[in-house]
Amino acid sequence: MSELSEQVPEVPLDWYFEHLLPPLPAGIDTEEIVTSLKESGVITNNKWAAIVEHPRLDKRHEDDVYAGLEEIFKDIIAAGKTQNSELEQQFALKLTPGVEATSERDSTTKPDGHFTSLEEAARLERAGEKPSVYNVWDSHEFKKDNEGVTHAMDKCVSQLVYDMQQIMALDPCRRFTFGTSIMNRSFRLWFCCRGAFLTAKPFDFMSEPEKLVHVFISLAFASRTDAGWDPSMACILPASPTGKRQYKIRVGDKAYITTKMLSDNAADSPIGRATRVWLVRDEDGPSDSRYVLKDVWVDSERQTEDEIRSALLKDVEEKCGSDARAIVEKHLLTPVAFEKLHIGAIVDDTTQLIMRGGSIPKTLDHLKLIVLQQSGLSTRSQVSNTENPVDAVFSGTRARYFRYGDTARCSSRATSRFHYRIVFLECATTMYDEKHLGNVLGALTDVTEALRWIHKSHWVHRDISGGNVYWYNCKAKVLNGENRGLLGDLEFAKVRTPSATHEVRTGTFNFMASEVIAGRYLVRFTSNSDLEDPAQIIGTGSIVNLPPFAFNPLHDMESIWWILVYLLYFKDDKQNVADADLADTRAVKALKLFNQEGQTLDRQQFLQNSDELTVERTCLPLSFKFVIAIARAFAAKLHAGYRKFEANLTLVDERPFEIHDYLVKALGLGRDNPEVNSIELVGVTRPQKRKIDDAESCCNDDTSNKKKARKND
């Protein structure tokens, strides 16, 4: 709920019915259905017979008080079928209070009720059966108290938001989902897609039965697509109880079968890009074919990754020549299929298709969300293991990758995003998972060489991280070509152009340049001539108007440097694993550099004071000494570039950016060093991880009050 800025827009119920709720089937008249229900005794004395008139006054548990909803649902559906005998019911309401929904990942979601398929509803009738997250939609949460009872309202909403978040995080087949909270007689509808999270004005389901009829009929007869499932993706159930779910995913005219999940942590956020990446095989190709498939929701004003790649390569060739293009192309991932997904003939878009072209009304109330401290509600859904240093830094519910460019986190308005997929030829190893230090240096060398020409063409990447710099081992895969470093994730790459406003920050926090995190220039340099005559500064009364902060090539290069530093801190030499005392000190130092509390000063000083980069001061293994020296030289050159560039920001000067040749040589020394090449990397041990987690927990306790007062950027 923190990521929703602790509030959601509250739309009019009519707007919700028109733009979000599945449409009513043809031939349905809700008023006539209400009339028939009154005649049959389902509604008596202007209330539903199966539920007491005022649930808050009933001394029974809420599970018993609202148990009659299933009976009401069945009566409404039966009445609807009398109006149109050709209607085919697709979904049923099942109440399963206190029963944990199962999934392949850790989840503690226990919706009081939900809609599910008729087959699944029949299965749940058997004793001991549990619902599956993959079949749950329109989660329900009940409380007997009125919405005005703060603690009850907060708990009900917290549980429901968690239910909906879990569906979106754990099931890759969902494009959107619904929710329902019932408090006393108040019936409130919810909705979540990758562009918006909102709720509708509640209605009194006792005194306004036609609205409940409308909701239940719409949900019961909806198609799977209208219920939020993706028609271009199908689940392949495992053959054994211990097997894993696979997915058949369409991209263009081809279908791919997933064989391994590579990354899905971005899908944890209820709204956002929700990037998921799989290792896949071509359904019609050889059984050992291997590709990488990325599924993502892209902001509608942005180009697709294949379009950006083509434009980048074209610019490199025009400005730097065909040889430069060949170098850059060699070190970029190669797309073999890509598609803006369509539902029918319409692009799968959060606003135009999913919200049926609706713009959220400008004048709205907002429902306040209270973040409850519920340690049992973990939102993590990605695979964690001791070899993945990502897992070694943070624990709990924090997102590992916080994309500052994702403005939906800070806005209650709907963000228009389209659904996009791209398939890459190369199945390469990220810097997180690369086990040989020599290959890490080789990948960083190659990517830096590619960045030389990308930057000369006035482009910047803006999101370099340990997850999108790769080592591609062709020989190990028995493929033609040479082993090389690769760069991916071009979604935020752009041409550098003068701007009248500050740029929106983009990037993956652990690898973002300090200036990008701060959103301002930090290495301002005053020349000696300025200091000789104070009148030049204070006598004239003049004010230097600095240009707006903009991303530049040095920021990309700083991200390369942070990858190297990150891996040095969160990887061990397999033959020289750090002892406990060293690990403890190392964990504290790592926490200062790699956390999401915005410790810009610590990071900036660490880069600036390159003389401090020694084995003794960093507490890194002695076998890393040569690479630490490379990191020190890298930092010194990078900082010199910053000083030179920021000495006069009003001038257009590309020379401070031309540091690539030096950095390629420095990194190459490590790549070609036999001792460095002999170092096999392993993830930090679990005891070390616990030290980091404990240190972070203490840090969070000390800063909790500050965090409450600080708004997300």
Side-chain angles (χ1 to χ4, degrees):
M1 291 197 291
S2 297
E3 295 175 353
L4 297 174
S5 298
E6 299 183 27
Q7 63 177 6
V8 293
E10 189 179 60
V11 300
L13 185 62
D14 290 345
W15 188 95
Y16 187 103
F17 281 179
E18 180 181 357
H19 295 285
L20 301 178
L21 195 70
L24 277 174
I28 291 295
D29 186 321
T30 58
E31 291 185 359
E32 287 187 7
I33 291 177
V34 169
T35 299
S36 69
L37 293 174
K38 289 179 178 179
E39 293 173 351
S40 63
V42 175
I43 299 175
T44 59
N45 299 321
N46 294 319
K47 76 173 191 66
W48 299 98
I51 298 180
V52 296
E53 184 175 4
H54 298 288
R56 66 184 177 84
L57 302 179
D58 197 309
K59 294 183 179 180
R60 293 176 299 163
H61 190 274
E62 62 201 29
D63 298 347
D64 299 319
V65 172
Y66 291 104
L69 272 177
E70 273 196 39
E71 181 182 340
I72 292 172
F73 170 80
K74 292 175 182 178
D75 290 333
I76 289 174
I77 300 311
K81 289 180 178 179
T82 62
Q83 287 191 350
N84 185 346
S85 59
E86 296 181 357
L87 287 179
E88 293 187 14
Q89 183 181 351
Q90 303 296 322
F91 299 99
L93 174 65
K94 288 301 297 179
L95 303 188
T96 54
V99 181
E100 189 171 294
T102 63
S103 69
E104 289 183 351
R105 305 289 178 86
D106 291 337
S107 175
T108 57
T109 179
K110 300 177 182 179
D112 290 332
H114 62 278
F115 274 78
T116 191
S117 68
L118 298 183
E119 296 79 8
E120 180 74 358
R123 181 182 71 82
L124 293 175
E125 291 289 344
R126 300 195 295 268
E129 294 288 349
K130 295 183 177 181
S132 166
V133 167
Y134 307 104
N135 294 318
V136 169
W137 74 287
D138 189 32
S139 302
H140 285 50
E141 294 290 349
F142 309 139
K143 291 288 181 289
K144 292 190 300 180
D145 289 311
N146 287 320
E147 284 196 350
V149 180
T150 304
H151 72 275
M153 177 66 172
D154 292 344
K155 187 174 182 180
C156 184
V157 170
S158 177
Q159 290 171 337
L160 184 65
V161 171
Y162 178 68
D163 294 342
M164 297 171 68
Q165 180 271 336
Q166 288 288 276
I167 290 172
M168 298 294 284
L170 299 178
D171 189 355
C173 294
R174 303 303 180 96
R175 300 159 48 240
F176 55 89
T177 193
F178 299 88
T180 298
S181 59
I182 302 178
M183 298 192 66
N184 192 21
R185 297 161 52 125
S186 177
F187 196 102
R188 180 184 288 274
L189 296 167
W190 297 73
F191 175 81
C192 174
C193 70
R194 293 304 180 181
F197 202 117
L198 49 82
T199 186
K201 289 279 188 183
F203 64 91
D204 185 332
F205 75 97
M206 286 288 187
S207 63
E208 301 175 283
E210 68 281 354
K211 293 178 180 177
L212 184 63
V213 169
H214 187 144
V215 171
F216 280 176
I217 292 285
S218 295
L219 299 179
F221 296 101
S223 67
R224 281 182 62 85
T225 302
D226 285 340
W229 274 274
D230 186 345
S232 66
M233 180 184 293
C235 177
I236 302 172
L237 294 175
S240 68
T242 58
K244 296 292 186 181
R245 298 163 70 93
Q246 292 179 281
Y247 297 93
K248 178 179 177 180
I249 306 174
R250 178 180 57 77
V251 184
D253 58 356
K254 279 187 168 291
Y256 297 87
I257 307 298
T258 63
T259 59
K260 181 182 179 181
M261 171 62 76
L262 299 179
S263 175
D264 70 343
N265 53 289
D268 279 358
S269 299
I271 54 177
R273 294 167 57 81
T275 305
R276 288 185 172 97
V277 184
W278 287 274
L279 188 66
V280 298
R281 63 177 176 83
D282 186 340
E283 183 184 39
D284 298 324
S287 59
D288 61 348
S289 65
R290 293 293 182 269
Y291 301 91
V292 173
L293 186 152
K294 179 194 289 188
D295 181 279
V296 62
W297 291 83
V298 181
D299 286 27
S300 293
E301 71 274 10
R302 293 188 179 276
Q303 291 180 298
T304 61
E305 190 166 0
D306 64 280
E307 292 170 340
I308 294 171
R309 182 181 184 277
S310 296
L312 168 62
L313 291 173
K314 181 181 178 181
D315 271 5
V316 170
E317 184 168 14
E318 289 179 353
K319 295 173 182 176
C320 303
S322 57
D323 288 346
R325 176 194 169 110
I327 292 172
V328 174
E329 193 166 14
K330 177 181 177 181
H331 297 298
L332 294 180
L333 294 174
T334 308
V336 296
F338 40 82
E339 179 186 18
K340 268 188 181 181
L341 296 178
H342 290 67
I343 303 294
I346 305 174
V347 173
D348 191 9
D349 176 272
T350 56
T351 54
Q352 295 305 310
L353 180 72
I354 293 176
M355 298 173 66
R356 301 201 280 272
S359 297
I360 296 180
K362 293 183 178 180
T363 304
L364 286 176
D365 291 329
H366 285 76
L367 186 68
K368 181 69 175 177
L369 303 180
I370 303 298
V371 181
L372 301 180
Q373 299 300 318
Q374 300 183 56
S375 59
L377 303 186
S378 172
T379 65
R380 298 303 307 142
S381 67
Q382 86 280 14
V383 176
S384 299
N385 56 68
T386 57
E387 296 300 315
N388 187 354
V390 174
D391 189 47
V393 188
F394 303 114
S395 63
T397 62
R398 294 165 130 186
R400 299 297 200 263
Y401 302 98
F402 186 91
R403 295 192 179 278
Y404 283 81
D406 193 348
T407 56
R409 295 180 182 274
C410 310
S411 172
S412 61
R413 299 299 174 188
T415 300
S416 180
R417 292 189 171 97
F418 62 83
H419 200 178
Y420 175 72
R421 290 191 186 127
I422 185 167
V423 180
F424 294 107
L425 174 66
E426 298 90 356
C427 302
T429 306
T430 69
M431 292 297 93
Y432 290 134
D433 300 318
E434 178 52 49
K435 297 183 182 301
H436 297 281
L437 186 54
N439 291 345
V440 168
L441 273 296
L444 297 181
T445 302
D446 290 345
V447 169
T448 299
E449 177 61 28
L451 287 171
R452 178 208 305 265
W453 304 107
I454 291 173
H455 292 157
K456 278 183 175 291
S457 303
H458 294 170
W459 280 70
V460 283
H461 185 282
R462 304 200 302 157
D463 187 25
I464 293 173
S465 75
N468 58 34
V469 174
Y470 309 89
W471 179 248
Y472 186 45
N473 193 336
C474 297
K475 295 177 182 178
K477 302 177 186 297
V478 195
L479 298 171
N480 295 325
E482 61 180 284
N483 298 347
R484 61 190 185 276
L486 296 171
L487 179 62
D489 288 351
L490 297 177
E491 293 101 325
F492 291 100
K494 61 175 285 187
V495 177
R496 288 191 296 120
T497 56
S499 174
T501 59
H502 293 289
E503 288 188 0
V504 174
R505 292 177 293 183
T506 62
T508 302
F509 181 88
N510 286 336
F511 311 101
M512 289 170 67
S514 300
E515 291 189 341
V516 176
I517 295 173
R520 58 189 175 88
Y521 297 109
L522 299 175
V523 194
R524 297 299 316 286
F525 175 67
T526 304
S527 67
N528 289 333
S529 61
D530 290 335
L531 297 176
E532 291 174 359
D533 184 4
Q536 294 185 26
I537 300 176
I538 62 176
T540 61
S542 61
I543 298 176
V544 178
N545 292 319
L546 298 178
F549 176 77
F551 200 104
N552 66 55
L554 296 175
H555 299 136
D556 273 344
M557 300 315 303
E558 186 175 337
S559 293
I560 294 289
W561 184 76
W562 281 117
I563 292 174
L564 182 58
V565 173
Y566 185 93
L567 295 181
L568 290 176
Y569 270 102
F570 294 111
K571 291 287 189 177
D572 264 326
D573 179 350
K574 186 176 182 179
Q575 300 302 319
N576 298 281
V577 175
D579 60 37
D581 292 337
L582 188 64
D584 194 6
T585 307
R586 181 177 173 184
V588 173
K589 289 181 178 292
L591 178 63
K592 291 180 67 176
L593 298 174
F594 300 104
N595 70 76
Q596 296 188 23
E597 296 305 315
Q599 302 296 336
T600 307
L601 182 60
D602 288 325
R603 289 168 67 92
Q604 175 63 22
Q605 289 179 342
F606 187 73
L607 170 66
Q608 182 173 331
N609 300 327
S610 57
D611 291 342
E612 301 289 316
L613 284 171
T614 64
V615 169
E616 295 76 17
R617 292 186 178 275
T618 58
C619 299
L620 295 173
L622 183 62
S623 57
F624 286 173
K625 183 175 181 179
F626 191 86
V627 181
I628 293 171
I630 292 174
R632 184 167 61 246
F634 194 130
K637 188 67 173 178
L638 183 60
H639 185 63
Y642 277 124
R643 286 169 60 91
K644 188 174 181 180
F645 171 65
E646 296 180 25
N648 196 335
L649 290 169
T650 60
L651 294 179
V652 179
D653 186 0
E654 296 290 314
R655 287 176 296 176
F657 303 148
E658 296 173 358
I659 62 174
H660 304 78
D661 185 59
Y662 179 93
L663 300 181
V664 166
K665 289 179 181 178
L667 293 167
L669 290 173
R671 175 195 59 192
D672 300 331
N673 184 288
E675 292 184 4
V676 172
N677 274 281
S678 68
I679 295 177
E680 183 176 352
L681 300 173
V682 294
V684 293
T685 62
R686 284 295 167 179
Q688 292 180 45
K689 178 188 184 301
R690 285 196 293 272
K691 293 176 187 295
I692 297 171
D693 290 343
D694 291 344
E696 184 190 31
S697 177
C698 293
C699 179
N700 287 342
D701 290 342
D702 293 339
T703 59
S704 60
N705 291 331
K706 295 179 182 178
K707 287 168 62 179
K708 291 178 182 178
R710 183 167 59 236
K711 294 182 179 179
N712 289 334
D713 286 316

